[in-house]
Amino acid sequence: QQWADGFETWCEANLDGVSASCRLHRAEVLGAKGTLHEALMSVDGAIEKLPATDPWALGDAYRVRGDILAALGDEKGASHEYDRAYQIGWDGEPGHAILLHLAGDDDGALAALDRVLANTGWFGLQRRGWILANKALICARGGKVDAAQATLKLLSANFDDWPSAGVRALALEAQSHLPQTDDGAQPMQLVSLARQLWTSIGADYQAARVRLVLARVLVSLHDFAGALIEIN
């Protein structure tokens, strides 16, 4: 919350009031930190002020709104927002791909992410690490071991360019789904590290999601007491 408030204070000090762009970025921060209903109100306020002459900004607003609705469990509403982003020439990734993956359409999900990865524009390159990390996780979950390992190798070679804790956390989670070597970290260790990374940056929603993943890993190891701790 302090991060979001600080961002808005900067906008107020440097712009004539809080711009729609600032409101949109504030909504994205709030969504990451788990204050989802406040984030939804913020992005709605941003959309009302975004000019129709800036389709890229409006498209990104629909993407952010879709991500927030998905986090709230409204998959139908999220899908609608991603569709709106596509309709004006933008995209709803990786949120749209995550919905396809959850619905069992891994091929469609990966094709959607690959379309963004083929984008050589600034915005496509700017979020390349985030898209690749989600691709690695979807591949790993879907049993596409070679594709997951290739994507993780690409990420590992470029971590200096993409130092995001979120990217690293998703990469660790992807690794936890892959065959483990005798000398490698085990799934519980990998998911625990992912949880710590999400927690360290205050990403409450992602941290909670990974705690549920960790609980399932602990149940598979018959550590039911540990699983209960993660769930609670």
Side-chain angles (χ1 to χ4, degrees):
Q1 180 66 49
Q2 290 178 342
W3 183 15
D5 290 343
F7 189 80
E8 187 164 305
T9 299
W10 182 91
C11 289
E12 290 173 340
N14 290 275
L15 302 169
D16 183 17
V18 182
S19 71
S21 179
C22 280
R23 288 182 184 274
L24 177 57
H25 288 296
R26 181 177 189 273
E28 196 160 16
V29 169
L30 290 170
K33 291 192 167 289
T35 49
L36 297 172
H37 291 288
E38 186 177 352
L40 191 59
M41 292 175 61
S42 186
V43 75
D44 286 346
I47 288 173
E48 290 177 359
K49 294 187 176 183
L50 286 170
T53 53
D54 288 335
W56 69 268
L58 192 57
D60 210 35
Y62 293 147
R63 177 189 64 82
V64 172
R65 195 172 195 278
D67 290 347
I68 296 168
L69 289 173
L72 286 167
D74 184 359
E75 294 184 1
K76 183 177 180 180
S79 182
H80 175 68
E81 295 302 317
Y82 297 142
D83 285 345
R84 294 175 76 184
Y86 276 108
Q87 287 168 7
I88 59 174
W90 205 240
D91 70 71
E93 307 308 340
H96 169 249
I98 292 170
L99 289 187
L100 290 175
H101 165 64
L102 293 175
D105 184 6
D106 283 358
D107 289 340
L110 294 173
L113 295 178
D114 284 340
R115 286 195 295 272
V116 179
L117 292 172
N119 184 345
T120 58
W122 174 83
F123 191 72
L125 295 175
Q126 182 263 344
R127 56 183 172 149
R128 186 173 175 81
W130 184 237
I131 297 295
L132 280 169
N134 277 277
K135 179 180 178 178
L137 182 54
I138 289 173
C139 286
R141 284 175 173 171
K144 300 179 185 294
V145 175
D146 290 344
Q149 290 175 335
T151 306
L152 287 171
K153 184 177 180 180
L154 182 59
L155 271 173
S156 179
N158 290 276
F159 263 146
D160 288 343
D161 294 328
W162 304 317
S164 162
V167 168
R168 293 176 183 271
L170 286 178
L172 288 167
E173 193 178 344
Q175 290 171 8
S176 75
H177 290 277
L178 298 176
Q180 305 301 310
T181 59
D182 292 339
D183 58 347
Q186 296 304 302
M188 184 181 71
Q189 296 170 301
L190 293 166
V191 179
S192 294
L193 286 171
R195 180 194 62 181
Q196 291 172 16
L197 282 170
W198 287 124
T199 302
S200 72
I201 59 174
D204 296 340
Y205 170 77
Q206 293 287 358
R209 181 187 64 77
V210 173
R211 287 188 71 182
L212 293 177
V213 174
L214 182 55
R216 288 194 289 271
V217 174
L218 291 169
V219 167
S220 73
L221 297 172
H222 304 289
D223 183 355
F224 302 111
L228 282 174
I229 290 173
E230 296 300 331
I231 294 172
N232 294 326

